[in-house]
Amino acid sequence: MNDEKRLINALKSNNRENIETVFEYIFNNYKSYVAFVASMYLKDRHDIDDIIQDVFVGFFNNAENVNTSIKSYLSISTKNRCINLIKKKQSIVLLDDKVELIVSDDLKSESYHQLIDDMKRLLEPEEVDLIIKHIVDGLTFKEISKNMNTNENTIKTKYYSAIKKYVRESHEKM
């Protein structure tokens, strides 16, 4: 039985013990995934832990209204909560879905250049160029692939690998 059916059956049963067992199962099976998604947006381990807790509390409180897959719901919820936290802290960050650059108005030029310099230290020039083309220039993966005469899926793979590498290297640097 898939996780969505397991959740629906537990909720329909109105059996508190059964519902708690399913929620515990979902938490244990998805907490690493939520942590991974959050780590794509956040560097601070305490922030990531807070997001994990908030995401699951929100999920448990709204489980009856979830109309997508559990993984999809958790992914979107994690992303949204991370973005809200980032906006609250007014910082710069690379967000990995549509990947955006969020910069507070008073820090724009200095912080932007600092981010680019940081990427140049941690990534290969081709990786930095790809990220800049997608984020700053706003080119789609299809447009980049045409310009570089490369397969679109290859561009996507290189791009997401570069983002993951940047996040990983930034964490290790801290």
Coordinates of all heavy atoms in Angstrom, one line a residue, residues 26-107:
I26 N 5.3 8.2 8.4 CA 5.6 9.3 7.4 C 6.7 10.2 7.8 O 7.6 10.5 7.1 CB 4.3 10.1 7.1 CG1 3.3 9.3 6.4 CG2 4.6 11.4 6.4 CD1 1.9 9.9 6.3
F27 N 6.7 10.6 9.1 CA 7.8 11.4 9.6 C 9.1 10.7 9.4 O 10.1 11.3 8.9 CB 7.6 11.8 11.1 CG 8.7 12.6 11.7 CD1 8.8 13.9 11.4 CD2 9.6 11.9 12.5 CE1 9.9 14.6 11.9 CE2 10.7 12.7 13.0 CZ 10.8 14.0 12.8
N28 N 9.2 9.5 9.9 CA 10.5 8.7 9.8 C 11.0 8.5 8.4 O 12.2 8.5 8.1 CB 10.4 7.4 10.5 CG 10.3 7.6 12.0 OD1 10.9 8.5 12.6 ND2 9.6 6.7 12.7
N29 N 10.0 8.3 7.4 CA 10.4 8.0 6.1 C 10.7 9.3 5.2 O 11.3 9.2 4.2 CB 9.3 7.2 5.4 CG 9.4 5.8 5.8 OD1 10.4 5.2 6.0 ND2 8.2 5.2 5.9
Y30 N 10.2 10.4 5.7 CA 10.4 11.7 4.9 C 11.2 12.7 5.5 O 11.5 13.7 4.9 CB 9.0 12.2 4.5 CG 8.2 11.4 3.5 CD1 7.3 10.5 3.9 CD2 8.4 11.6 2.2 CE1 6.6 9.7 3.0 CE2 7.7 10.8 1.2 CZ 6.8 9.9 1.7 OH 6.1 9.1 0.8
K31 N 11.6 12.6 6.8 CA 12.3 13.7 7.4 C 13.7 13.9 6.8 O 14.1 15.1 6.7 CB 12.5 13.4 8.9 CG 13.4 12.3 9.3 CD 13.5 12.1 10.8 CE 14.3 10.8 11.1 NZ 14.2 10.4 12.5
S32 N 14.4 12.9 6.3 CA 15.6 13.1 5.6 C 15.4 13.8 4.3 O 16.2 14.7 3.9 CB 16.3 11.8 5.3 OG 16.7 11.2 6.5
Y33 N 14.3 13.5 3.6 CA 14.0 14.2 2.4 C 13.7 15.7 2.6 O 14.2 16.6 1.9 CB 12.8 13.5 1.7 CG 12.3 14.3 0.5 CD1 13.1 14.2 -0.7 CD2 11.2 15.1 0.5 CE1 12.7 14.9 -1.8 CE2 10.8 15.8 -0.6 CZ 11.5 15.7 -1.8 OH 11.1 16.4 -2.9
V34 N 12.9 16.0 3.6 CA 12.6 17.4 4.0 C 13.9 18.1 4.4 O 14.1 19.3 4.0 CB 11.6 17.4 5.1 CG1 11.4 18.9 5.6 CG2 10.2 16.9 4.6
A35 N 14.8 17.5 5.1 CA 16.1 18.1 5.5 C 16.9 18.4 4.3 O 17.5 19.4 4.2 CB 16.8 17.1 6.5
F36 N 16.9 17.4 3.3 CA 17.7 17.6 2.1 C 17.1 18.9 1.3 O 17.9 19.7 0.9 CB 17.6 16.4 1.2 CG 18.2 16.6 -0.2 CD1 19.6 16.7 -0.3 CD2 17.4 16.8 -1.3 CE1 20.1 16.9 -1.6 CE2 17.9 17.0 -2.5 CZ 19.3 17.0 -2.7
V37 N 15.8 18.9 1.2 CA 15.2 20.0 0.4 C 15.5 21.4 1.2 O 15.9 22.3 0.5 CB 13.7 19.8 0.3 CG1 13.0 21.1 -0.3 CG2 13.3 18.6 -0.6
A38 N 15.4 21.4 2.5 CA 15.7 22.6 3.2 C 17.1 23.0 3.1 O 17.4 24.2 3.0 CB 15.3 22.4 4.7
S39 N 18.0 22.0 3.0 CA 19.4 22.3 2.9 C 19.8 22.9 1.6 O 20.9 23.5 1.4 CB 20.3 21.1 3.2 OG 20.2 20.2 2.1
M40 N 18.9 22.8 0.6 CA 19.1 23.4 -0.7 C 18.9 24.9 -0.6 O 19.4 25.7 -1.4 CB 18.2 22.8 -1.8 CG 18.5 21.4 -2.0 SD 20.1 21.0 -2.6 CE 20.1 21.9 -4.2
Y41 N 18.2 25.4 0.4 CA 17.9 26.8 0.6 C 18.6 27.4 1.8 O 18.9 28.6 1.8 CB 16.4 26.9 0.8 CG 15.5 26.4 -0.3 CD1 15.1 25.1 -0.3 CD2 15.2 27.3 -1.3 CE1 14.3 24.6 -1.4 CE2 14.4 26.8 -2.4 CZ 14.0 25.5 -2.4 OH 13.2 25.0 -3.4
L42 N 18.8 26.6 2.8 CA 19.4 27.2 4.1 C 20.7 26.5 4.4 O 20.9 25.4 4.1 CB 18.4 26.9 5.2 CG 16.9 27.4 5.0 CD1 16.1 26.8 6.1 CD2 16.9 28.9 5.0
K43 N 21.5 27.3 5.1 CA 22.8 26.8 5.5 C 22.9 26.4 7.0 O 23.5 25.5 7.4 CB 23.9 27.8 5.3 CG 24.2 28.0 3.8 CD 25.3 29.1 3.6 CE 25.4 29.3 2.2 NZ 26.5 30.3 1.9
D44 N 22.1 27.1 7.8 CA 22.1 26.9 9.2 C 21.4 25.7 9.7 O 20.2 25.5 9.4 CB 21.6 28.2 9.9 CG 21.7 28.1 11.4 OD1 22.7 28.4 12.0 OD2 20.7 27.7 12.1
R45 N 22.0 24.8 10.4 CA 21.4 23.5 10.8 C 20.2 23.7 11.7 O 19.2 23.0 11.6 CB 22.5 22.6 11.5 CG 22.0 21.3 11.8 CD 21.6 20.5 10.6 NE 20.7 19.4 11.0 CZ 20.0 18.6 10.1 NH1 20.2 18.8 8.9 NH2 19.2 17.7 10.6
H46 N 20.3 24.7 12.5 CA 19.2 25.0 13.4 C 17.9 25.5 12.6 O 16.8 25.1 13.0 CB 19.5 26.1 14.5 CG 20.6 25.6 15.4 ND1 20.4 24.6 16.3 CD2 21.9 26.0 15.5 CE1 21.6 24.4 17.0 NE2 22.5 25.2 16.5
D47 N 18.2 26.3 11.6 CA 17.1 26.7 10.8 C 16.5 25.5 10.0 O 15.2 25.4 9.9 CB 17.6 27.7 9.7 CG 17.8 29.1 10.3 OD1 17.4 29.4 11.4 OD2 18.5 29.9 9.7
I48 N 17.3 24.6 9.6 CA 16.8 23.4 8.9 C 16.0 22.6 9.8 O 14.9 22.1 9.5 CB 18.0 22.6 8.3 CG1 18.7 23.4 7.1 CG2 17.5 21.2 7.8 CD1 20.0 22.9 6.6
D49 N 16.5 22.4 11.0 CA 15.7 21.6 12.0 C 14.4 22.3 12.3 O 13.4 21.6 12.5 CB 16.5 21.4 13.3 CG 17.7 20.5 13.2 OD1 17.7 19.7 12.2 OD2 18.6 20.6 14.0
D50 N 14.4 23.6 12.4 CA 13.1 24.3 12.7 C 12.1 24.1 11.5 O 10.9 23.9 11.7 CB 13.4 25.8 12.9 CG 14.0 26.1 14.2 OD1 14.0 25.2 15.1 OD2 14.5 27.2 14.4
I51 N 12.7 24.2 10.3 CA 11.8 24.0 9.1 C 11.2 22.6 9.1 O 10.1 22.4 8.8 CB 12.6 24.3 7.8 CG1 13.0 25.8 7.7 CG2 11.9 23.8 6.6 CD1 11.8 26.7 7.5
I52 N 12.1 21.6 9.4 CA 11.6 20.2 9.4 C 10.4 20.1 10.4 O 9.3 19.6 10.1 CB 12.7 19.2 9.8 CG1 13.8 19.2 8.7 CG2 12.1 17.8 10.1 CD1 15.0 18.5 9.2
Q53 N 10.6 20.7 11.6 CA 9.5 20.6 12.6 C 8.3 21.3 12.1 O 7.1 20.8 12.2 CB 10.0 21.2 13.9 CG 8.9 21.2 15.0 CD 9.5 21.7 16.3 OE1 10.6 22.0 16.5 NE2 8.6 21.9 17.2
D54 N 8.4 22.5 11.5 CA 7.3 23.3 11.1 C 6.6 22.6 9.9 O 5.3 22.6 9.9 CB 7.7 24.7 10.6 CG 8.2 25.6 11.7 OD1 7.9 25.3 12.9 OD2 8.8 26.6 11.4
V55 N 7.3 22.0 9.0 CA 6.7 21.3 7.9 C 5.8 20.2 8.3 O 4.7 20.0 7.9 CB 7.8 20.9 6.9 CG1 7.3 19.9 5.9 CG2 8.4 22.1 6.1
F56 N 6.4 19.4 9.2 CA 5.6 18.2 9.7 C 4.4 18.6 10.6 O 3.4 18.0 10.5 CB 6.5 17.2 10.3 CG 7.2 16.3 9.3 CD1 8.6 16.6 9.1 CD2 6.6 15.3 8.6 CE1 9.3 15.8 8.1 CE2 7.2 14.6 7.7 CZ 8.6 14.8 7.4
V57 N 4.6 19.6 11.4 CA 3.4 20.1 12.2 C 2.3 20.6 11.2 O 1.2 20.2 11.4 CB 3.9 21.2 13.2 CG1 2.6 21.9 13.8 CG2 4.7 20.6 14.3
G58 N 2.7 21.3 10.2 CA 1.8 21.8 9.2 C 1.1 20.6 8.5 O -0.1 20.7 8.2
F59 N 1.9 19.7 8.1 CA 1.4 18.5 7.4 C 0.4 17.7 8.3 O -0.7 17.4 7.9 CB 2.5 17.6 7.0 CG 2.0 16.3 6.4 CD1 1.5 16.2 5.1 CD2 2.0 15.1 7.1 CE1 1.0 15.0 4.6 CE2 1.6 13.9 6.6 CZ 1.1 13.9 5.3
F60 N 0.7 17.5 9.5 CA -0.1 16.8 10.4 C -1.4 17.5 10.7 O -2.5 16.9 10.8 CB 0.6 16.4 11.7 CG 1.8 15.5 11.5 CD1 2.9 15.6 12.3 CD2 1.8 14.5 10.5 CE1 4.0 14.8 12.1 CE2 2.9 13.7 10.3 CZ 4.0 13.8 11.1
N61 N -1.3 18.8 10.8 CA -2.5 19.6 11.1 C -3.4 19.7 9.8 O -4.6 20.0 10.0 CB -2.1 21.0 11.5 CG -1.6 21.1 12.9 OD1 -1.9 20.2 13.7 ND2 -0.7 22.0 13.2
N62 N -2.9 19.5 8.6 CA -3.6 19.7 7.4 C -3.7 18.4 6.6 O -4.1 18.5 5.4 CB -3.0 20.8 6.5 CG -3.1 22.1 7.2 OD1 -4.2 22.6 7.6 ND2 -2.0 22.8 7.3
A63 N -3.4 17.3 7.2 CA -3.3 16.0 6.4 C -4.6 15.7 5.7 O -4.6 15.2 4.6 CB -3.0 14.9 7.4
E64 N -5.8 16.1 6.3 CA -7.1 15.8 5.6 C -7.3 16.6 4.4 O -8.0 16.2 3.5 CB -8.2 16.1 6.6 CG -8.2 15.1 7.8 CD -8.8 15.7 9.1 OE1 -9.1 16.9 9.1 OE2 -9.0 15.0 10.0
N65 N -6.6 17.7 4.2 CA -6.7 18.6 3.1 C -5.6 18.3 2.0 O -5.6 19.0 1.0 CB -6.7 20.0 3.5 CG -7.8 20.3 4.5 OD1 -8.9 19.8 4.4 ND2 -7.5 21.1 5.5
V66 N -4.7 17.4 2.2 CA -3.6 17.2 1.3 C -4.2 16.5 0.1 O -4.8 15.4 0.2 CB -2.5 16.4 1.9 CG1 -1.5 16.0 0.9 CG2 -1.9 17.1 3.1
N67 N -4.1 17.1 -1.1 CA -4.6 16.5 -2.3 C -3.6 16.2 -3.4 O -3.9 16.1 -4.5 CB -5.7 17.4 -2.9 CG -5.3 18.8 -3.1 OD1 -4.1 19.1 -3.0 ND2 -6.2 19.7 -3.5
T68 N -2.3 16.2 -2.9 CA -1.2 15.8 -3.8 C -0.5 14.6 -3.1 O -0.9 14.2 -2.0 CB -0.2 16.9 -4.0 OG1 0.4 17.3 -2.7 CG2 -0.9 18.2 -4.6
S69 N 0.6 14.2 -3.7 CA 1.4 13.1 -3.1 C 2.0 13.7 -1.8 O 2.2 15.0 -1.7 CB 2.5 12.6 -4.0 OG 3.5 13.6 -4.2
I70 N 2.3 12.9 -0.9 CA 2.9 13.3 0.4 C 4.3 14.0 0.1 O 4.6 15.1 0.6 CB 3.1 12.2 1.4 CG1 1.7 11.7 1.8 CG2 3.9 12.6 2.6 CD1 1.7 10.4 2.6
K71 N 5.0 13.4 -0.8 CA 6.4 13.9 -1.1 C 6.2 15.3 -1.7 O 7.0 16.2 -1.4 CB 7.1 13.0 -2.0 CG 8.5 13.3 -2.2 CD 9.2 12.2 -3.0 CE 10.7 12.4 -3.1 NZ 11.4 11.3 -3.8
S72 N 5.3 15.5 -2.6 CA 5.1 16.7 -3.3 C 4.7 17.8 -2.3 O 5.2 18.9 -2.3 CB 4.0 16.6 -4.4 OG 3.8 17.8 -5.0
Y73 N 3.7 17.5 -1.4 CA 3.2 18.4 -0.4 C 4.4 18.8 0.5 O 4.6 20.0 0.8 CB 2.2 17.8 0.5 CG 1.7 18.7 1.6 CD1 0.7 19.6 1.4 CD2 2.4 18.6 2.8 CE1 0.3 20.4 2.5 CE2 2.0 19.5 3.9 CZ 0.9 20.3 3.7 OH 0.5 21.2 4.7
L74 N 5.2 17.9 1.0 CA 6.3 18.2 1.9 C 7.4 19.0 1.1 O 7.9 20.0 1.7 CB 6.9 16.9 2.4 CG 6.0 16.1 3.3 CD1 6.7 14.8 3.7 CD2 5.7 16.9 4.6
S75 N 7.6 18.7 -0.1 CA 8.6 19.5 -0.9 C 8.2 20.9 -1.1 O 8.9 21.9 -0.8 CB 8.8 18.8 -2.3 OG 9.7 19.6 -3.0
I76 N 6.9 21.1 -1.5 CA 6.4 22.5 -1.7 C 6.3 23.3 -0.3 O 6.7 24.4 -0.3 CB 5.0 22.5 -2.4 CG1 5.2 22.0 -3.8 CG2 4.4 23.8 -2.3 CD1 3.9 21.6 -4.5
S77 N 5.9 22.6 0.7 CA 5.8 23.2 2.0 C 7.2 23.6 2.5 O 7.4 24.7 3.0 CB 5.1 22.3 3.0 OG 5.0 22.9 4.3
T78 N 8.2 22.7 2.3 CA 9.5 23.0 2.8 C 10.1 24.2 2.0 O 10.6 25.2 2.6 CB 10.4 21.8 2.5 OG1 9.9 20.7 3.3 CG2 11.8 22.1 3.0
K79 N 9.9 24.2 0.7 CA 10.4 25.3 -0.1 C 9.8 26.6 0.3 O 10.5 27.6 0.5 CB 10.1 25.1 -1.6 CG 10.4 26.2 -2.5 CD 9.9 26.0 -3.9 CE 10.0 27.3 -4.7 NZ 9.3 27.3 -5.9
N80 N 8.4 26.7 0.5 CA 7.8 27.9 0.9 C 8.2 28.4 2.3 O 8.4 29.6 2.5 CB 6.2 27.7 0.8 CG 5.7 27.5 -0.6 OD1 6.4 28.0 -1.5 ND2 4.6 26.9 -0.7
R81 N 8.3 27.5 3.2 CA 8.8 27.9 4.5 C 10.2 28.4 4.5 O 10.5 29.3 5.2 CB 8.6 26.7 5.5 CG 7.1 26.4 5.8 CD 7.0 25.2 6.7 NE 5.6 24.8 6.8 CZ 4.7 25.2 7.7 NH1 5.1 26.1 8.5 NH2 3.5 24.8 7.6
C82 N 11.1 27.8 3.7 CA 12.4 28.3 3.6 C 12.5 29.7 3.0 O 13.2 30.5 3.5 CB 13.3 27.3 2.7 SG 13.7 25.7 3.5
I83 N 11.7 29.9 1.9 CA 11.7 31.2 1.3 C 11.1 32.2 2.3 O 11.7 33.3 2.4 CB 10.8 31.2 0.0 CG1 11.5 30.3 -1.1 CG2 10.5 32.6 -0.5 CD1 10.6 30.0 -2.3
N84 N 10.1 31.9 3.0 CA 9.6 32.8 4.0 C 10.6 33.2 5.1 O 10.8 34.3 5.5 CB 8.3 32.3 4.7 CG 7.2 32.3 3.8 OD1 7.1 33.0 2.8 ND2 6.2 31.4 4.1
L85 N 11.4 32.1 5.5 CA 12.4 32.4 6.5 C 13.5 33.3 5.9 O 14.0 34.2 6.6 CB 13.0 31.1 7.0 CG 14.2 31.2 8.0 CD1 13.6 31.8 9.3 CD2 14.7 29.8 8.4
I86 N 13.9 33.0 4.7 CA 15.0 33.8 4.1 C 14.5 35.2 3.9 O 15.3 36.2 4.2 CB 15.3 33.2 2.7 CG1 16.0 31.9 2.9 CG2 16.1 34.2 1.8 CD1 16.0 31.0 1.6
K87 N 13.3 35.4 3.5 CA 12.8 36.8 3.3 C 12.7 37.5 4.7 O 13.1 38.7 4.8 CB 11.4 36.8 2.7 CG 11.4 36.5 1.3 CD 10.0 36.5 0.7 CE 10.0 36.2 -0.8 NZ 8.6 36.1 -1.3
K88 N 12.4 36.7 5.7 CA 12.3 37.3 7.1 C 13.7 37.7 7.5 O 13.9 38.8 8.1 CB 11.8 36.2 8.0 CG 11.6 36.7 9.4 CD 11.0 35.6 10.3 CE 10.9 36.0 11.7 NZ 10.4 34.9 12.6
K89 N 14.7 36.9 7.1 CA 16.1 37.3 7.5 C 16.8 38.3 6.6 O 17.9 38.7 6.8 CB 17.0 36.0 7.6 CG 16.6 35.1 8.7 CD 17.6 33.9 8.8 CE 17.4 33.2 10.1 NZ 18.5 32.3 10.4
Q90 N 16.1 38.5 5.4 CA 16.6 39.5 4.4 C 18.0 39.1 4.0 O 19.0 39.9 4.2 CB 16.6 40.9 5.0 CG 15.2 41.4 5.4 CD 14.6 42.0 4.2 OE1 15.2 42.7 3.4 NE2 13.3 41.8 4.0
S91 N 18.2 37.9 3.4 CA 19.5 37.5 3.0 C 19.5 37.2 1.5 O 18.5 37.2 0.9 CB 20.0 36.4 3.9 OG 19.2 35.3 3.7
I92 N 20.7 36.8 1.1 CA 20.9 36.4 -0.3 C 20.9 34.8 -0.3 O 21.6 34.3 0.6 CB 22.2 36.9 -0.9 CG1 22.2 38.4 -0.8 CG2 22.4 36.3 -2.3 CD1 23.5 38.9 -1.3
V93 N 20.3 34.2 -1.2 CA 20.4 32.8 -1.3 C 20.0 32.3 -2.7 O 19.3 32.9 -3.4 CB 19.4 32.1 -0.3 CG1 18.0 32.3 -0.7 CG2 19.7 30.7 0.0
L94 N 20.6 31.2 -3.0 CA 20.2 30.5 -4.3 C 19.1 29.6 -3.9 O 19.3 28.7 -3.1 CB 21.4 29.8 -4.9 CG 22.5 30.6 -5.4 CD1 23.7 29.8 -5.8 CD2 22.0 31.4 -6.7
L95 N 18.0 29.7 -4.6 CA 16.9 28.8 -4.4 C 16.8 27.8 -5.5 O 16.8 28.2 -6.7 CB 15.6 29.5 -4.2 CG 15.5 30.6 -3.1 CD1 14.2 31.3 -3.1 CD2 15.8 29.9 -1.8
D96 N 16.7 26.5 -5.2 CA 16.8 25.5 -6.2 C 15.5 25.1 -6.8 O 15.3 24.2 -7.1 CB 17.5 24.3 -5.6 CG 17.7 23.2 -6.6 OD1 18.7 23.2 -7.3 OD2 16.8 22.4 -6.7
D97 N 14.6 25.7 -7.3 CA 13.5 25.1 -8.0 C 13.5 25.9 -9.3 O 14.0 25.4 -10.3 CB 12.2 25.2 -7.3 CG 11.1 24.7 -8.0 OD1 11.2 24.2 -9.1 OD2 10.0 24.7 -7.4
K98 N 13.0 27.1 -9.2 CA 13.2 28.0 -10.3 C 14.5 28.8 -10.1 O 14.9 29.6 -10.9 CB 12.0 28.9 -10.4 CG 10.7 28.3 -10.8 CD 9.6 29.3 -11.0 CE 8.4 28.6 -11.5 NZ 7.3 29.5 -11.6
V99 N 15.1 28.6 -9.0 CA 16.3 29.2 -8.5 C 16.2 30.7 -8.7 O 16.2 31.3 -9.8 CB 17.6 28.7 -9.2 CG1 18.8 29.4 -8.7 CG2 17.7 27.3 -9.0
E100 N 16.1 31.4 -7.6 CA 16.0 32.8 -7.6 C 17.1 33.4 -6.7 O 17.7 32.7 -5.9 CB 14.6 33.2 -6.9 CG 13.4 32.6 -7.6 CD 12.2 32.8 -6.8 OE1 12.1 33.8 -6.0 OE2 11.3 32.0 -6.9
L101 N 17.3 34.7 -6.9 CA 18.3 35.4 -6.1 C 17.5 36.4 -5.3 O 16.8 37.2 -5.8 CB 19.2 36.2 -7.0 CG 20.6 36.6 -6.5 CD1 21.3 35.4 -5.9 CD2 21.4 37.3 -7.5
I102 N 17.5 36.2 -4.0 CA 16.7 37.1 -3.1 C 17.7 37.9 -2.4 O 18.6 37.4 -1.7 CB 15.9 36.3 -2.1 CG1 14.8 35.5 -2.8 CG2 15.2 37.2 -1.1 CD1 14.0 34.6 -1.9
V103 N 17.6 39.2 -2.6 CA 18.6 40.2 -2.0 C 17.8 41.3 -1.4 O 16.9 41.8 -2.0 CB 19.5 40.7 -3.1 CG1 20.6 41.6 -2.5 CG2 20.1 39.6 -4.0
S104 N 18.2 41.6 -0.2 CA 17.6 42.8 0.5 C 18.0 44.0 -0.3 O 19.1 44.1 -0.8 CB 17.9 42.9 1.9 OG 19.3 43.1 2.1
D105 N 17.1 45.0 -0.4 CA 17.4 46.2 -1.2 C 18.7 47.0 -0.8 O 19.4 47.4 -1.6 CB 16.2 47.2 -1.1 CG 15.0 46.7 -1.9 OD1 15.2 45.8 -2.8 OD2 13.9 47.1 -1.5
D106 N 18.9 47.1 0.5 CA 20.1 47.8 1.0 C 21.4 47.1 0.8 O 22.4 47.7 0.9 CB 19.9 48.2 2.5 CG 19.7 47.0 3.4 OD1 19.2 46.0 2.9 OD2 20.1 47.1 4.6
L107 N 21.4 45.8 0.4 CA 22.6 45.1 0.2 C 22.8 44.7 -1.2 O 23.8 44.0 -1.5 CB 22.6 43.8 1.1 CG 22.5 44.0 2.6 CD1 22.3 42.6 3.3 CD2 23.7 44.7 3.1

